[in-house]
Amino acid sequence: IPIEAGYKYIFLRHFFVMGELGYSLFRYYSLDSNNNGKLVTNRTGGFSYGPSLGVQLGVLELRLKYETIQLNAGNINDLRLRLGFNF
């Protein structure tokens, strides 16, 4: 569950850059090898940030976003292409 806040800056008529900061919570399940293979619930979280670049065409928005989440065990990184509807 990401909890983020961001700011969108429109620098040309339809083009924008956006930045988001926040915290992401994770819950995942695994089998405990020390306890007869019972299902164990694990929780973790980490600081997240993501810059993006996009174009807004009326009510439609196309955005390319890179996001990273910093966890104790390492980072989760992804690159997303988003098609959104603004109302």
Side-chain angles (χ1 to χ4, degrees), residues 25-41:
L25 303 167
F26 294 93
R27 179 184 294 177
Y28 61 96
Y29 303 94
S30 61
L31 296 176
D32 187 1
S33 60
N34 297 328
N35 197 6
N36 297 328
K38 289 185 180 180
L39 193 62
V40 178
T41 302

Side-chain angles (χ1 to χ4, degrees), residues 49-51 65-69 75-81:
Y49 59 92
K65 179 180 180 183
Y66 172 78
E67 185 169 24
T68 186
I69 303 167
N75 293 346
I76 298 174
N77 303 302
D78 64 59
L79 185 63
R80 303 177 198 164
L81 183 61

Side-chain angles (χ1 to χ4, degrees), residues 8-60:
K8 180 193 280 188
Y9 176 73
I10 299 172
F11 60 90
L12 287 175
R13 185 175 176 151
H14 299 289
F15 296 94
F16 66 88
V17 292
M18 189 170 179
E20 295 172 295
L21 296 172
Y23 192 83
S24 295
L25 303 167
F26 294 93
R27 179 184 294 177
Y28 61 96
Y29 303 94
S30 61
L31 296 176
D32 187 1
S33 60
N34 297 328
N35 197 6
N36 297 328
K38 289 185 180 180
L39 193 62
V40 178
T41 302
N42 301 293
R43 295 179 184 170
T44 188
F47 174 72
S48 62
Y49 59 92
S52 57
L53 178 65
V55 61
Q56 192 166 341
L57 303 168
V59 296
L60 294 178

